Amino acid sequence: NDFSDANVGEYELKVKNRIGDESSKAKADITEPPKEKPTFDVPLSTIYDPAKKLLILKCKVSGYPKPTITWQGKDGLELTDKDAEFKDDPADPEFKIVHIHNFTEAKEGEYSATATNVVGTSRRSINISIKQTKQENTSRPQFEIPLKVDFDPMNGRIVLSCRVAGDPKPEVKWLKDNDDLVSGGDYEIQVDDDNNQVLVINNVSSTHHGDYSCMATSNLGMAKQTCTLMLREKPKVEMVDRPVLEKGKPFVLGFKVTGGENIKVRWLRNGEEISSGNGVELSTEGEIHRLRIEELTEASGGDYTIEAQGEGGTVRSTISLSFSESGAAERSLTVSPFNVKTLKKLMSELQTAGFKCAANKITKVRVDVIQGQFGTNVCDLIGRMVEIKDQPMMLSVWEGNGVVEAVKGKFEEAAGKTDHPFSQVLYRSLSAEQGKKDIGLWFKPYEMTQWNAEDLAF
């Protein structure tokens, strides 16, 4: 915010993950726009309210540098705060408004707006008579603020808005492809505090393609403005197979890809595109895309990615395969509250001792940890968790010969030491968890991945 000369310079964005890193640079500078003489984008106009004896003058001016506007009343005398009330339109501050109260026939005459900057001066005048103004105020429907579209991607919605005027007050309705819209489902129709007509489209998807119109109607006529929404939806990638990790056996990975037409799908291993051959088979059946490895070996390890590219963007899903050199490695499970600083220290201690972190999982709700997950000592875990509030939990699987005893030793060493990283461990395996069934209680196959302490940078 408040960009100034002090912020001028070259900026660089860097991104990094396990596979590699990338950077992009951009230069930020301040360029002054060309000078322009004041111009009346919307001519001087009037509205008169006989009940309140209120005259409203209104216009819109542009130019650079920003023009100064002065108002002149009857006999060319400049209007002051004693004569009038000066305002900006809340919906568009470029619209300048003047309210003249207690306006009677004695104040009739020529009124002007004068816009001035260093380039020059522009002036617009209008001759006001109460009788004529009353007749002019009976008008066909018109759009004071044109139809505009605002995208709100964070909330998955689109907002269309405009402001209509007319005397008598027009009836307003919204249409999609010339069919009337009503509030309900994904649509909300409302009038905001500034009297703007608003249409909100929630849960935006390609089904909301079409022509949207705001139509204002009275006995004097009709005004209508239309915009076309062409929505490009990102592809969606959903796993349909539960792959089995077992050396010497086939491995099948399947995804369902949806989200529009003309989607291009490709497979990558460690960031490089792969094709069928050398024991790997790629296949497609409708929306289902599969990768099959004929026989899993240690050489099969790596990051396997499915990439779906469509008109709305690109989506990727990656699964990491890794195997212990000794086959069924001894494994220990730890459960800790999710805290990046503490987890870095905990992971550093075990990695320094020569153990490998085979998997990590963050659970959002504590009950997800407890229900049906523990085979041993669950009562001890629940007792310790009762004392803490609900918060994300980190589940980690560690591999290596002697890892269970090593974790147990560090757990006991942390007793009574609040500054020890293992003082935050709520549960650790009491015996080696070697079987796929045990680990399967905790992790889905695609959650098995290696993390280093350096990766905990989020």
Side-chain angles (χ1 to χ4, degrees):
N1 297 324
D2 300 325
F3 191 86
S4 65
D5 291 336
N7 304 116
V8 171
E10 188 174 74
Y11 291 80
E12 181 177 9
L13 173 66
K14 294 183 178 180
V15 292
K16 182 179 180 181
N17 62 14
R18 299 192 313 274
I19 299 175
D21 58 76
E22 188 63 76
S23 66
S24 179
K25 296 181 180 180
K27 186 176 181 181
D29 203 350
I30 298 177
T31 303
E32 186 175 7
K35 292 181 171 59
E36 293 182 351
K37 181 181 177 180
T39 302
F40 281 81
D41 298 328
V42 178
L44 184 60
S45 61
T46 63
I47 299 174
Y48 181 66
D49 185 345
K52 298 179 180 179
K53 294 184 179 181
L54 172 65
L55 179 70
I56 301 174
L57 303 174
K58 186 174 184 179
C59 67
K60 182 177 181 179
V61 179
S62 63
Y64 186 82
K66 186 177 181 179
T68 300
I69 298 179
T70 58
W71 299 83
Q72 293 77 39
K74 185 179 178 181
D75 301 325
L77 299 176
E78 185 169 335
L79 297 177
T80 66
D81 293 338
K82 295 180 181 180
D83 308 309
E85 184 180 358
F86 302 92
K87 298 183 176 183
D88 291 338
D89 190 326
D92 186 351
E94 298 299 320
F95 272 99
K96 304 302 177 182
I97 300 173
V98 177
H99 285 195
I100 302 177
H101 298 277
N102 195 27
F103 191 87
T104 62
E105 293 179 358
K107 296 182 179 180
E108 291 180 341
E110 186 177 84
Y111 284 74
S112 303
T114 303
T116 305
N117 65 11
V118 295
V119 183
T121 299
S122 295
R123 179 186 178 96
R124 292 292 183 273
S125 300
I126 188 169
N127 195 39
I128 299 174
S129 97
I130 292 176
K131 182 178 180 181
Q132 181 182 355
T133 304
K134 286 181 180 179
Q135 293 173 347
E136 290 177 349
N137 285 345
T138 302
S139 60
R140 293 166 54 90
Q142 58 182 320
F143 284 82
E144 286 188 335
I145 298 179
L147 180 61
K148 66 175 183 176
V149 181
D150 292 313
F151 293 89
D152 184 1
M154 293 297 293
N155 294 307
R157 67 178 191 170
I158 294 175
V159 180
L160 287 73
S161 63
C162 60
R163 185 187 298 173
V164 299
D167 188 9
K169 184 178 180 180
E171 176 187 353
V172 178
K173 62 181 179 180
W174 290 91
L175 306 97
K176 179 189 178 188
D177 298 328
N178 289 323
D179 293 326
D180 290 0
L181 286 176
V182 295
S183 285
D186 292 337
Y187 298 102
E188 295 178 36
I189 296 175
Q190 51 194 243
V191 180
D192 67 16
D193 294 338
D194 295 322
N195 204 34
N196 293 312
Q197 306 292 327
V198 180
L199 171 65
V200 180
I201 306 173
N202 296 304
N203 306 313
V204 172
S205 69
S206 57
T207 61
H208 296 110
H209 286 310
D211 295 328
Y212 289 82
S213 304
C214 183
M215 186 168 68
T217 309
S218 75
N219 59 359
L220 296 180
M222 183 269 287
K224 180 180 179 182
Q225 290 194 350
T226 301
C227 69
T228 300
L229 295 185
M230 295 293 294
L231 303 173
R232 293 182 172 88
E233 187 176 1
K234 267 191 175 183
K236 296 179 182 177
V237 174
E238 178 184 1
M239 180 177 282
V240 294
D241 294 328
R242 284 196 171 273
V244 176
L245 292 172
E246 189 171 351
K247 285 186 179 180
K249 300 290 184 181
F251 172 83
V252 179
L253 194 57
F255 288 89
K256 182 178 181 181
V257 180
T258 57
E261 300 177 353
N262 303 319
I263 298 177
K264 180 182 177 182
V265 175
R266 64 175 187 155
W267 290 90
L268 304 98
R269 182 188 178 199
N270 297 330
E272 300 291 332
E273 186 171 0
I274 58 175
S275 57
S276 294
N278 298 321
V280 175
E281 179 185 352
L282 306 181
S283 63
T284 302
E285 298 177 14
E287 297 177 335
I288 307 300
H289 299 260
R290 286 190 169 90
L291 177 149
R292 184 180 188 274
I293 299 176
E294 185 176 339
E295 181 182 351
L296 274 184
T297 65
E298 291 179 9
S300 306
D303 293 329
Y304 289 84
T305 301
I306 183 171
E307 178 186 274
Q309 183 177 9
E311 294 180 352
T314 301
V315 177
R316 299 177 184 88
S317 182
T318 299
I319 293 176
S320 297
L321 303 183
S322 62
F323 300 91
S324 171
E325 293 77 3
S326 59
E330 180 181 333
R331 289 173 169 171
S332 176
L333 179 73
T334 61
V335 180
S336 314
F338 181 69
N339 178 287
V340 172
K341 184 177 180 181
T342 302
L343 288 171
K344 279 186 174 181
K345 294 180 179 179
L346 188 150
M347 296 182 76
S348 179
E349 287 221 2
L350 288 175
Q351 287 172 346
T352 301
F355 300 110
K356 181 175 70 175
C357 183
N360 283 286
K361 176 180 180 180
I362 300 173
T363 62
K364 293 183 179 180
V365 185
R366 210 169 61 198
V367 71
D368 180 59
V369 182
I370 298 174
Q371 289 180 337
Q373 302 286 327
F374 286 89
T376 58
N377 210 22
V378 67
C379 293
D380 174 64
L381 173 69
I382 295 175
R384 298 196 67 193
M385 294 182 78
V386 164
E387 301 176 1
I388 67 172
K389 298 179 179 179
D390 287 348
Q391 67 180 96
M393 294 287 158
M394 174 70 88
L395 283 65
S396 300
V397 174
W398 292 91
E399 287 186 351
N401 293 330
V403 67
V404 174
E405 285 301 315
V407 172
K408 177 184 176 183
K410 291 183 178 295
F411 185 80
E412 293 174 349
E413 177 187 320
K417 301 176 182 178
T418 57
D419 59 340
H420 196 292
F422 273 78
S423 66
Q424 299 297 310
V425 174
L426 299 173
Y427 175 86
R428 88 286 184 197
S429 298
L430 302 182
S431 58
E433 301 192 48
Q434 297 178 344
K436 285 178 290 183
K437 180 179 178 182
D438 294 334
I439 298 301
L441 288 173
W442 299 93
F443 297 92
K444 298 174 184 177
Y446 54 86
E447 291 170 332
M448 297 294 289
T449 180
Q450 296 185 43
W451 281 8
N452 295 316
E454 292 78 6
D455 295 327
L456 289 172
F458 39 82

